[in-house]
Amino acid sequence: MTSSSRKDPEGFRSPQTRGEGIKTQTIGFLLLDNFTLISLASAIEPLRMANQLAGHELYRWYTLTADGEPVSASDGLKVTPDVSLRTPLGLDMVVVCGGVGPHRSVQREHVAWLQGQARLSRRLGAICTGSWALAKAGLLDGYDISTHWECMAAMREAFPRVELTTRLFCIDRDRATSSGGTAPLDMMLNLIAKDHGRELAAGISEMFICERVRNEQDQQRIPLRHVLGTTQPKLLEIVALMEANLEEPIGLDELASYVDVSRRQLERLFQKNLHCSPSRYYLKLRLTRARQLLKQTSMSIIEVASACGFVSTPHFSKCYREFFGFPPRDERIGNLQPTVRLEEKQVDALFSGAAFEPVSCEPVSSAMVALDQARGEPTYASVAVNQSRVAVNK
């Protein structure tokens, strides 16, 4: 974020209230041609499971295409949408699902419709390369956003007013954007936690065998060859040597000799292409690895420090604090997520088998069908949801 004041957590707390005080958010997923199926599933499945664990329709969703006709995913599978863009829906949020070649997939109809949704004060989001459509519509200017790393260079050229980051996902005021793959899962879990509490998000994570919910500080690992292209083979070789020698760092003079350049040439290469000194870049690699080990393993801080080439724990802690803004101990503590022991939850065996009635003038949502089918699951209504956490805009 360029400014801490720009992030507004309340921007994602404006669901509608439908019956019995249950607050339901309606999300439309706009499918672009060649969208990535894994990203769509990663975004929708947390919503389905939130409903199942809560035993209420907290979320409903619809898939949309420009004309309502089936659209091909990047793996060739055709998906039949629920509705077209002409169908009136009371949406709270729109998420654009992109994939391969977004600059070819975005049509005038998409741009006009998204601009209309923005005028209606809908919250807007994007997954994988779907942010291209929002940027094309002029709806991301001045926002911090995330997109798949393959799309970053092209977006920088095409949309200079958009604040691109390398984070897995960004939530900036009323915009939520994520990179591809499974990153939408983490973004949705964070949004669900904001709406309904960490217990529900932890329960969903447990159901999906997800060891850790990543947050906005987690970064995409962008291959350096993608950043530099093929114009700097010596620099790529040096960085590869650094990455292969994190536990026992190689001195800069030795690195320079490996690729047959002087130390001064080495320093110029890093300053010109990576805008930092070789020592700083090497330290960044080691600290990034340390953060991965702290988050993803049970190694002690002493063991992590040693594995990343630090001669002492105090020195490691000092470097970590200076780089990330907090000590490694806080990283380890912050990574401990509350766990819901679902097997200890008891579900009332006497429940109504009636399907949820669709809201008038709206097509039947897949959420209602999925929730009705989930009534027989042992995890149905296994997580209590504090409805007062979600503020309803008047």
Side-chain angles (χ1 to χ4, degrees):
M1 294 289 295
T2 55
S3 170
S4 59
S5 64
R6 288 171 53 184
K7 184 186 291 185
D8 178 13
E10 298 301 325
F12 279 86
R13 296 187 182 179
S14 58
Q16 301 175 32
T17 302
R18 293 189 175 99
E20 300 181 2
I22 299 172
K23 301 169 179 64
T24 303
Q25 294 192 53
T26 303
I27 303 175
F29 289 91
L30 173 58
L31 308 182
L32 302 180
D33 193 33
N34 284 318
F35 74 94
T36 51
L37 203 56
I38 187 174
S39 294
L40 176 65
S42 295
I44 289 181
E45 283 297 301
L47 306 179
R48 176 184 70 85
M49 191 54 62
N51 290 349
Q52 178 172 319
L53 298 185
H56 301 304
E57 192 192 17
L58 302 178
Y59 300 94
R60 68 176 51 174
W61 57 88
Y62 300 101
T63 53
L64 308 92
T65 61
D67 54 8
E69 293 299 313
V71 63
S72 292
S74 57
D75 58 8
L77 291 177
K78 283 193 176 292
V79 175
T80 301
D82 295 313
V83 294
S84 74
L85 299 185
R86 295 184 296 274
T87 305
L89 292 173
L91 299 176
D92 297 298
M93 183 179 183
V94 172
V95 177
V96 185
C97 308
V100 177
H103 57 289
R104 296 188 299 269
S105 301
V106 178
Q107 305 168 12
R108 286 193 299 271
E109 295 89 340
H110 297 139
V111 170
W113 185 78
L114 289 169
Q115 290 170 338
Q117 295 299 304
R119 286 193 292 272
L120 292 170
S121 299
R122 309 288 195 234
R123 288 165 288 124
L124 301 175
I127 57 179
C128 197
T129 63
S131 52
W132 187 283
L134 293 178
K136 183 82 171 176
L139 302 174
L140 293 181
D141 290 358
Y143 283 89
D144 283 355
I145 72 115
S146 296
T147 191
H148 192 284
W149 58 262
E150 282 190 314
C151 191
M152 290 182 68
M155 282 200 68
R156 281 198 179 96
E157 289 292 325
F159 311 111
R161 295 184 179 179
V162 176
E163 301 291 338
L164 282 158
T165 77
T166 59
R167 297 201 290 271
L168 287 176
F169 66 90
C170 288
I171 301 173
D172 184 358
R173 292 164 286 175
D174 55 352
R175 303 287 188 268
T177 54
S178 86
S179 54
T182 59
L185 170 64
D186 299 282
M187 183 176 77
M188 287 300 186
L189 286 173
N190 277 267
L191 290 175
I192 290 168
K194 289 178 185 291
D195 288 341
H196 301 292
R198 293 177 63 188
E199 184 184 18
L200 180 58
I204 299 167
S205 178
E206 185 176 87
M207 288 295 293
F208 290 160
I209 324 297
C210 178
E211 294 183 358
R212 181 176 74 88
V213 180
R214 296 173 291 184
N215 57 39
E216 283 191 81
Q217 281 66 53
D218 284 286
Q219 305 285 317
Q220 298 183 67
R221 192 184 188 288
I222 305 173
L224 190 60
R225 65 182 182 276
H226 178 78
V227 178
L228 299 177
T230 60
T231 60
Q232 299 296 334
K234 288 188 180 293
L235 185 55
L236 291 172
E237 189 176 352
I238 293 167
V239 171
L241 284 169
M242 288 178 170
E243 291 176 335
N245 294 275
L246 298 180
E247 187 170 355
E248 296 183 8
I250 303 174
L252 296 186
D253 289 329
E254 192 176 357
L255 281 171
S257 67
Y258 273 130
V259 295
D260 196 25
V261 298
S262 68
R263 176 161 175 164
R264 186 171 181 180
Q265 288 174 312
L266 176 69
E267 291 175 344
R268 281 204 299 263
L269 276 173
F270 274 84
Q271 288 291 350
K272 179 180 179 181
N273 295 283
L274 299 176
H275 312 294
C276 66
S277 69
S279 299
R280 181 69 177 172
Y281 191 85
Y282 210 165
L283 178 63
K284 175 184 176 182
L285 291 177
R286 292 160 58 205
L287 290 172
T288 301
R289 173 67 60 82
R291 193 176 197 202
Q292 292 172 339
L293 294 176
L294 287 170
K295 285 176 170 288
Q296 299 172 11
T297 75
S298 58
M299 292 171 64
S300 68
I301 292 176
I302 295 174
E303 291 171 327
V304 170
S306 177
C308 297
F310 292 92
V311 295
S312 70
T313 303
H315 180 235
F316 168 59
S317 296
K318 178 177 181 293
C319 292
Y320 201 96
R321 181 192 291 272
E322 289 176 352
F323 193 84
F324 291 113
F326 44 82
R329 189 176 69 137
D330 288 1
E331 184 80 85
R332 175 59 57 78
I333 293 172
N335 189 46
L336 298 177
Q337 298 289 337
T339 301
V340 182
R341 297 189 59 81
L342 297 176
E343 67 274 15
E344 295 179 1
K345 301 285 185 174
Q346 298 298 318
V347 182
D348 187 352
L350 300 176
F351 52 75
S352 170
F356 290 86
E357 294 296 329
V359 175
S360 176
C361 300
E362 286 190 1
V364 176
S365 167
S366 301
M368 291 186 283
V369 177
L371 184 55
D372 189 54
Q373 292 175 341
R375 285 176 176 270
E377 294 293 322
T379 55
Y380 181 81
S382 59
V383 176
V385 174
N386 182 358
Q387 297 292 339
S388 65
R389 289 184 62 91
V390 185
V392 182
N393 289 354
K394 301 297 183 182

